[in-house]
Amino acid sequence: MATSDSTVPAPPPLSFERHPSTYQHWKLTFDGPIATLGMDVQEDAGLSPGYKLKLNSYDLGVDIELADAINRIRFEHPEVRTVVVTSLRERIFCAGANIFMLRGATHSWKVNFCKFTNETRLGMEDASRYSGIKFLAALNGICAGGGYELALACDEIILIDDANSAVSLPETPLLAVLPGTGGLTRVVDKRKVRRDLADFFGTIAEGVKGKRAVEWRLVDAVVPASRFKETVAKRAAELAATSDRPATGPGITLNPLNATITDEGYTYSSVSVTFDRAKRAATMTVRGPMAPVEATPDAILAAGDQFWPLRVFREIDDAILRLRVNERELGTIVLKSEGDPALVLEADQILLDHAAHWLVREVIHFIKRTLKRLDLSARSFFAVIEPGNAFAGTLFELVLAADRSYMLDDPDQPNTIQLSGMNAVLCMSNGLSRLDARFYGTPNQVAEVLDHDGPSDASEALEAGLVTFAPDEIDWDDEVRMAVEGRASMSPDALTGMEANLRFVGPETMETKIFGRLTAWQNWIFQRPNAVGPKGALTSYGTSDRAEFDFGRT
Amino acid sequence: MATSDSTVPAPPPLSFERHPSTYQHWKLTFDGPIATLGMDVQEDAGLSPGYKLKLNSYDLGVDIELADAINRIRFEHPEVRTVVVTSLRERIFCAGANIFMLRGATHSWKVNFCKFTNETRLGMEDASRYSGIKFLAALNGICAGGGYELALACDEIILIDDANSAVSLPETPLLAVLPGTGGLTRVVDKRKVRRDLADFFGTIAEGVKGKRAVEWRLVDAVVPASRFKETVAKRAAELAATSDRPATGPGITLNPLNATITDEGYTYSSVSVTFDRAKRAATMTVRGPMAPVEATPDAILAAGDQFWPLRVFREIDDAILRLRVNERELGTIVLKSEGDPALVLEADQILLDHAAHWLVREVIHFIKRTLKRLDLSARSFFAVIEPGNAFAGTLFELVLAADRSYMLDDPDQPNTIQLSGMNAVLCMSNGLSRLDARFYGTPNQVAEVLDHDGPSDASEALEAGLVTFAPDEIDWDDEVRMAVEGRASMSPDALTGMEANLRFVGPETMETKIFGRLTAWQNWIFQRPNAVGPKGALTSYGTSDRAEFDFGRT
């Protein structure tokens, strides 16, 4: 079917792996407990040709480097307690997402771009909340749109006080879209800017500067140029003093994943993904540890990125990101596992025993964030639980994250699953564990399944509500096949909307508001002629044409 | 600008006033504390030609009658404690929203249709929670899509147990859209159906019946035909026994509003709306009471629908509904008031003093619901506060609900506003009072402004954060004019998205999830070619064409 998406040539397969030695847009420097992320976007180094990344504007490539840098600070630099986010350019902090990139992008590219940048910014807040890494936005120049949204993700914002530098969200007046990377939500929900002031702010392209920016809570301080560097350094040190991170390293090194990426699938050390393009499905198989994992903090440090819980979730994370952007037609992901569940449970116990150690803490939160990425992926996930599976504890989270699960019930082939304490620890974006979300109506069931000792076979798992269906060996093949084929026959858009509503039962947080309310509205606007039609504002921006609107309100 | 919306002739101006004597689709009957709403949709009595309302399927006209009936039960029948919602047809309860109506509808009509039906269903839950009116869905036949969503809005659901009758949400598999009238949200959040079971349920067109429907919590009971009526009657009586409504009437009569509706505006007894089509704006002026309002329950009962607080908010409600559907290009609503604020504050005190009386309770909740409708309207609201205004207490909620407010600060012209205890009582969809939402970051300010004795002039109101801007007489005209003109120049879609995000700071409830997460996704899907394109599922349904999908996931 012809849509605007299919008329644009697909970009080449995108990799999400980066290394500071080859960053093009950021300079990451360290000074004891203070790291500085200096933005210096190379105009001609966009991911695609056709636009120039002027004025520190960004595309997905810039953000992939940012995400890499933050992740490396967490794992490779345990001594870092404050990250100063600033610009290496004069008079400009960041002009936000590149408009010409957005204009040329397909709908799905826009959606995935916003999703990833949202995850990166929420990852900064996650590091602040759980890892003792505070972020200080040092706005040494104009800070517009996505640039201000990046600042909003920081713990504090200091704006230079000159005649020029303002913070702004000009998306609505200039482009007829939303500040969609959390901006609207964070302004009122995080920084608690009064809604009527936020309304005014969100409609003026020039933004707000100076004293008014502080009074309206848009920034925490404005400082003259003469005292800017000194004030930033002082505040960075004060923030660092509040951290519980270790005083010194060493950290571990995040080495390349060295995956084999082909047109048939992805192969990692503990994860493999095989495509079935005819069925528009992929099977992701996760392997448990081959031997007991390292059991002490020192041994875990020595193992570094080869520590199985970290290794396997880095691989899952990379696979999800690649699938999202590079394999849009593979709509259903079948989740399988294999290995020794006892070794997974041992690993879980080690994580729980040493959760206070900085590295183990990082591993746990990395696992949590990877699983959140899965929850937020616009793909259907079906867990298929077969004999030889390793769906225990942390790996069972994959089953709980899935939209449905199928477990073979065959008395001739032992097939079990098992929970661990980790299933109470790993929270979704809404703040609930996946067990709490699953048994939202019957919280006593959460305690029951966590109290259950030992493995559960298919009929026990079904009875306990831990799996959706448990077909016997006669029905198994047909039922799983029909589920996957049935899913593939439905509209991907309707499935995405349905899944986004059913996955997040119960409370909402700022995080779920960003992905639910804000993103859903933004995606709607990204389809509206007033933004993306031939005379829409995003289409007309920077041309000699003036946008023409259909002024009918919905 | 040419869009799909502008190619369809506008429907005639729609009225939202109805009376049971002329209902076409519902039969409302009374038996002591039990009212029965029997659905019997007249196939040929749709709001527009071009579709037949077969199988008790509905369009907006059917839902306007339903909303009217529920409102009349609240005000005219205080003795009613249980409402049985059922069908007067054999073997069919309700087939949901009419698909051929949806197919032929413009995007904005779909959006407004869903919004109104959502408000109606949430109004049922409001009546249950606050007014002691319980709703019992007696599903005497097939219950599909919006039919099941209507049942979900009831307190309990009884399904007939025959070979035929099932509950279903076939929107995703059949039409490539969502069950968008709260269905997905209520299944998991209200009825607490497990998310994987809900996922399965939401993908099978045939639905679920019998014992499984109970086990999965989709219904509360299934009952054979032989015992159906008796069981419904028994359960209706049990629900009625829990109510705190009065044992007998009389209620009051909701008479026609007798508004003058012209192409220049609307004139009611206490509300007038004037259009400025060139500015794409309307001014709504609300007048305070002309004399002290009735002060005792008996006097209020005698005054009936002429009791000023009820009268003025019935008029505001009607005006908002008309503007939404009939005046799509009037994007900005300027809110003004006039009258004696002392009389408004007196009325507020009477409402608070007698809040436990059934009729006063109904009036307060009606005011609350009307203000929620304003919050949920896709229009910009600017409050303009001038000398002679009556923005006190309950009427000041209009200022708090506005996206911004402008208050003239002219020492030569006294101009004040004032709060009352009602400003702590009237909650938004998110459960916060508008003051709590306004001062989300500084809750102590809520107590401060409520404690403030007497009126506040413009500079005091500005200082207290109760108004956005307070221009002096030199700037006033220009500043207000430029605000209205500036708003009119922006994309209505971006404004709608921005407002929907800024208005609902803080916590989310099932109600805000329905309007935020669910509706925003549904509106996105209502724009997607897979649903509404030439080969989309909604377009192809019921024709010889098969839907063809772009299978790319976003």
Side-chain angles (χ1 to χ4, degrees):
Chain A
M1 173 170 180
T3 71
S4 60
D5 277 22
S6 61
T7 60
V8 176
L14 184 66
S15 165
F16 290 81
E17 290 196 79
R18 293 293 186 277
H19 190 271
S21 63
T22 56
Y23 285 172
Q24 296 182 286
H25 309 296
W26 295 91
K27 196 170 166 198
L28 177 56
T29 55
F30 299 92
D31 181 9
I34 314 293
T36 299
L37 258 169
M39 193 175 198
D40 186 15
V41 177
Q42 299 307 300
E43 289 191 4
D44 296 317
L47 272 187
S48 304
Y51 53 84
K52 279 182 181 289
L53 297 174
K54 292 189 180 177
L55 298 172
N56 265 358
S57 64
Y58 61 85
D59 68 358
L60 183 56
V62 177
D63 221 70
I64 292 174
E65 289 185 3
L66 174 62
D68 182 79
I70 293 163
N71 207 33
R72 287 184 193 277
I73 290 168
R74 294 181 80 152
F75 282 102
E76 300 189 344
H77 297 276
E79 78 286 0
V80 168
R81 297 161 165 226
T82 302
V83 179
V84 175
V85 181
T86 192
S87 158
L88 303 182
R89 312 280 283 274
E90 290 290 316
R91 298 168 62 84
I92 179 82
F93 172 73
C94 170
N98 186 274
I99 297 169
F100 303 95
M101 175 279 293
L102 277 179
R103 174 195 299 169
T106 61
H107 181 72
S108 72
W109 185 267
K110 288 191 196 76
V111 170
N112 273 296
F113 167 71
C114 289
K115 186 175 287 180
F116 185 84
T117 53
N118 271 318
E119 288 172 325
T120 304
R121 280 141 195 74
L122 287 161
M124 293 164 63
E125 291 172 327
D126 182 83
S128 167
R129 181 166 177 187
Y130 297 109
S131 289
I133 303 173
K134 299 298 165 189
F135 290 82
L136 177 60
L139 309 184
N140 54 327
I142 287 170
C143 178
Y148 182 50
E149 292 180 294
L150 175 59
L152 287 168
C154 295
D155 294 279
E156 291 191 15
I157 305 175
I158 299 179
L159 173 65
I160 198 164
D161 194 8
D162 55 24
N164 176 53
S165 299
V167 296
S168 64
L169 292 177
E171 286 86 344
T172 295
L174 286 190
L175 306 171
V177 301
L178 301 184
T181 317
L184 294 176
T185 311
R186 283 198 181 85
V187 163
V188 290
D189 275 276
K190 180 181 181 181
R191 295 199 59 91
K192 301 182 172 61
V193 175
R194 230 173 58 209
R195 56 165 282 204
D196 54 338
L197 303 175
D199 177 273
F200 181 77
F201 176 63
T203 59
I204 51 167
E206 68 273 23
V208 171
K209 60 189 170 190
K211 199 173 56 152
R212 177 177 262 193
V214 178
E215 283 172 359
W216 288 12
R217 302 169 181 267
L218 295 165
V219 305
D220 294 286
V222 287
V223 180
S226 58
R227 289 194 288 110
F228 188 73
K229 278 196 179 164
E230 153 208 357
T231 306
V232 168
K234 179 164 174 284
R235 193 61 198 135
E238 287 167 0
L239 286 170
T242 67
S243 176
D244 65 351
R245 294 202 102 199
T248 59
I252 65 166
T253 300
L254 298 177
N255 294 293
L257 295 172
N258 291 322
T260 304
I261 307 294
T262 73
D263 200 48
E264 277 87 52
Y266 313 147
T267 308
Y268 304 83
S269 73
S270 291
V271 174
S272 65
V273 181
T274 56
F275 305 160
D276 185 341
R277 295 194 189 278
K279 291 197 172 172
R280 291 190 285 274
T283 298
M284 180 186 293
T285 305
V286 178
R287 274 178 294 282
M290 306 295 282
V293 308
E294 295 73 11
T296 65
D298 283 348
I300 295 168
L301 266 168
D305 68 354
Q306 295 308 300
F307 180 53
W308 175 82
L310 176 58
R311 179 159 54 90
V312 71
F313 276 90
R314 281 185 77 208
E315 295 174 353
I316 293 171
D317 197 52
D318 189 68
I320 292 170
L321 288 171
R322 287 177 183 273
L323 285 166
R324 275 188 188 172
V325 172
N326 298 326
E327 298 295 342
R328 291 186 48 229
E329 292 222 347
L330 301 177
T332 309
I333 315 294
V334 175
L335 299 169
K336 295 188 177 186
S337 68
E338 53 189 44
D340 183 351
L343 293 178
V344 179
L345 294 170
E346 259 184 52
D348 277 8
Q349 195 54 52
I350 291 163
L351 291 176
L352 291 168
D353 287 346
H354 301 288
H357 183 268
W358 76 266
L359 176 55
V360 176
R361 177 167 80 176
E362 289 303 339
V363 172
I364 291 171
H365 287 294
F366 187 86
I367 294 171
K368 177 194 71 181
R369 292 197 303 283
T370 299
L371 289 163
K372 284 185 182 183
R373 248 208 250 277
L374 194 155
D375 296 331
L376 292 165
S377 292
R379 296 293 184 281
S380 301
F381 292 93
F382 287 177
V384 169
I385 309 169
E386 295 167 306
N389 85 77
F391 284 128
T394 294
L395 289 192
F396 192 72
E397 286 293 307
L398 295 168
V399 177
L400 295 171
D403 297 297
R404 292 183 210 164
S405 51
Y406 292 83
M407 185 169 183
L408 175 63
D409 187 2
D410 178 357
D412 295 337
Q413 304 184 67
N415 189 24
T416 63
I417 54 101
Q418 189 165 348
L419 300 185
S420 81
M422 285 296 287
N423 300 112
V425 165
L426 299 164
C427 284
M428 300 171 65
S429 299
N430 60 6
L432 300 183
S433 74
R434 285 180 188 75
L435 285 175
D436 287 336
R438 186 173 189 84
F439 299 119
Y440 186 58
T442 50
N444 59 310
Q445 278 189 271
V446 177
E448 271 173 37
V449 294
L450 283 171
D451 285 348
H452 179 87
D453 214 17
S456 301
D457 66 18
S459 66
E460 289 166 335
L462 185 72
E463 175 69 22
L466 288 169
V467 298
T468 319
F469 299 111
D472 62 24
E473 71 281 13
I474 296 168
D475 294 333
W476 175 256
D477 286 343
D478 275 352
E479 195 161 333
V480 172
R481 181 182 54 76
M482 286 192 305
V484 173
E485 290 176 2
R487 201 71 165 195
S489 72
M490 279 179 261
S491 162
D493 309 318
L495 289 175
T496 293
M498 185 183 82
E499 291 154 3
N501 279 281
L502 296 181
R503 287 178 187 171
F504 299 97
V505 68
E508 300 259 353
T509 60
M510 196 179 72
E511 190 168 333
T512 61
K513 284 176 89 163
I514 287 172
F515 288 114
R517 183 181 279 274
L518 179 60
T519 297
W521 277 113
Q522 177 78 310
N523 292 355
W524 175 71
I525 289 164
F526 276 157
Q527 291 274 285
R528 297 287 287 163
N530 282 337
V532 298
K535 306 227 166 188
L538 196 56
T539 313
S540 308
Y541 184 82
T543 73
S544 56
D545 292 341
R546 226 182 119 90
E548 289 178 29
F549 295 138
D550 172 349
F551 282 107
R553 281 275 194 152
T554 47
Chain B
M1 174 171 177
T3 70
S4 57
D5 278 22
S6 62
T7 60
V8 176
L14 184 67
S15 164
F16 290 80
E17 291 195 78
R18 294 293 186 277
H19 190 271
S21 62
T22 55
Y23 286 172
Q24 295 183 287
H25 309 296
W26 294 90
K27 197 170 165 199
L28 177 55
T29 55
F30 299 93
D31 181 9
I34 313 293
T36 298
L37 258 169
M39 194 176 199
D40 186 16
V41 177
Q42 301 307 299
E43 288 190 4
D44 297 317
L47 272 188
S48 304
Y51 53 83
K52 278 180 181 290
L53 298 174
K54 292 189 178 176
L55 298 172
N56 265 359
S57 63
Y58 61 85
D59 69 357
L60 183 57
V62 177
D63 221 70
I64 293 173
E65 289 186 3
L66 174 62
D68 182 80
I70 293 164
N71 207 35
R72 287 183 192 278
I73 290 168
R74 293 181 80 152
F75 282 102
E76 300 189 344
H77 297 275
E79 78 285 1
V80 168
R81 297 162 165 227
T82 301
V83 179
V84 176
V85 181
T86 193
S87 158
L88 303 182
R89 312 281 283 274
E90 290 290 317
R91 299 169 61 84
I92 179 82
F93 172 73
C94 170
N98 186 274
I99 297 168
F100 302 96
M101 175 278 293
L102 277 178
R103 174 195 300 170
T106 61
H107 182 71
S108 71
W109 185 267
K110 288 191 196 78
V111 170
N112 273 296
F113 167 71
C114 289
K115 186 175 288 182
F116 185 84
T117 54
N118 270 318
E119 289 172 325
T120 305
R121 279 141 197 76
L122 286 161
M124 293 164 64
E125 291 172 328
D126 181 84
S128 168
R129 181 165 175 186
Y130 297 110
S131 288
I133 304 172
K134 299 297 166 190
F135 290 82
L136 178 59
L139 309 184
N140 54 327
I142 287 170
C143 177
Y148 181 50
E149 292 180 294
L150 176 59
L152 286 167
C154 295
D155 294 279
E156 291 191 15
I157 306 174
I158 299 178
L159 173 65
I160 197 164
D161 194 9
D162 56 23
N164 177 53
S165 299
V167 296
S168 64
L169 292 176
E171 285 88 343
T172 295
L174 286 190
L175 306 170
V177 300
L178 302 184
T181 318
L184 294 176
T185 311
R186 284 199 181 83
V187 163
V188 290
D189 275 276
K190 180 180 181 181
R191 296 199 58 91
K192 301 181 171 61
V193 174
R194 230 173 57 209
R195 56 165 282 202
D196 56 336
L197 303 175
D199 178 273
F200 182 78
F201 176 63
T203 58
I204 50 168
E206 68 272 22
V208 171
K209 60 190 169 187
K211 198 174 58 153
R212 177 177 260 193
V214 178
E215 284 171 358
W216 288 12
R217 303 169 180 266
L218 295 165
V219 306
D220 294 286
V222 287
V223 179
S226 59
R227 290 195 287 110
F228 187 73
K229 278 194 180 166
E230 153 207 356
T231 305
V232 168
K234 179 164 173 286
R235 191 62 197 134
E238 287 167 359
L239 286 169
T242 67
S243 176
D244 64 351
R245 296 202 100 199
T248 59
I252 66 166
T253 300
L254 298 178
N255 294 293
L257 296 173
N258 292 322
T260 305
I261 307 294
T262 73
D263 199 47
E264 278 87 51
Y266 312 147
T267 308
Y268 303 84
S269 73
S270 292
V271 174
S272 66
V273 181
T274 56
F275 304 159
D276 184 342
R277 296 195 187 277
K279 292 197 171 172
R280 291 189 285 274
T283 298
M284 180 186 292
T285 304
V286 178
R287 273 178 294 282
M290 304 296 282
V293 308
E294 295 73 11
T296 65
D298 282 349
I300 294 169
L301 267 169
D305 67 354
Q306 295 307 299
F307 180 53
W308 174 82
L310 175 58
R311 179 158 55 88
V312 70
F313 276 91
R314 281 184 77 207
E315 293 174 354
I316 293 171
D317 196 53
D318 190 67
I320 292 171
L321 288 172
R322 287 177 183 273
L323 285 166
R324 276 188 188 171
V325 172
N326 298 327
E327 298 295 343
R328 290 186 51 230
E329 292 221 348
L330 300 177
T332 309
I333 315 294
V334 175
L335 299 169
K336 295 188 177 187
S337 67
E338 53 188 46
D340 183 351
L343 294 178
V344 179
L345 294 170
E346 259 184 52
D348 277 7
Q349 194 55 53
I350 291 163
L351 292 175
L352 291 168
D353 287 346
H354 301 288
H357 183 268
W358 77 266
L359 176 55
V360 176
R361 176 167 81 177
E362 288 304 339
V363 171
I364 291 172
H365 287 294
F366 187 85
I367 293 171
K368 177 194 71 180
R369 292 196 304 282
T370 298
L371 289 163
K372 284 186 184 183
R373 247 208 251 276
L374 193 154
D375 296 331
L376 292 165
S377 291
R379 296 292 186 282
S380 301
F381 292 93
F382 287 177
V384 170
I385 310 169
E386 294 167 306
N389 84 79
F391 284 128
T394 293
L395 289 192
F396 192 72
E397 286 292 308
L398 295 169
V399 177
L400 295 172
D403 297 297
R404 290 183 212 167
S405 50
Y406 292 82
M407 184 169 185
L408 175 64
D409 186 2
D410 177 357
D412 294 338
Q413 303 184 69
N415 189 24
T416 62
I417 54 100
Q418 189 166 348
L419 300 185
S420 82
M422 284 297 286
N423 299 112
V425 165
L426 298 163
C427 284
M428 301 171 64
S429 299
N430 60 6
L432 300 183
S433 74
R434 284 178 190 77
L435 285 175
D436 287 336
R438 186 173 189 83
F439 300 119
Y440 186 58
T442 49
N444 60 311
Q445 278 190 271
V446 177
E448 270 173 36
V449 296
L450 283 171
D451 284 349
H452 178 87
D453 214 18
S456 301
D457 66 18
S459 66
E460 290 167 334
L462 186 72
E463 174 69 23
L466 288 169
V467 299
T468 318
F469 298 111
D472 62 23
E473 70 282 13
I474 297 168
D475 294 333
W476 175 256
D477 286 344
D478 275 352
E479 195 162 333
V480 172
R481 181 182 52 77
M482 286 193 303
V484 172
E485 289 176 1
R487 200 72 164 194
S489 72
M490 280 178 261
S491 161
D493 308 318
L495 290 175
T496 294
M498 185 184 81
E499 291 154 4
N501 279 281
L502 296 181
R503 288 177 185 170
F504 299 97
V505 68
E508 301 260 353
T509 60
M510 195 179 74
E511 191 167 331
T512 60
K513 285 177 87 164
I514 287 172
F515 288 113
R517 183 181 279 275
L518 179 60
T519 298
W521 278 113
Q522 177 78 311
N523 292 355
W524 175 72
I525 290 165
F526 276 157
Q527 290 273 288
R528 297 286 288 163
N530 282 337
V532 299
K535 307 229 165 186
L538 196 55
T539 313
S540 308
Y541 184 82
T543 72
S544 56
D545 294 339
R546 225 182 119 90
E548 289 177 29
F549 295 138
D550 173 348
F551 282 106
R553 281 274 194 152
T554 47

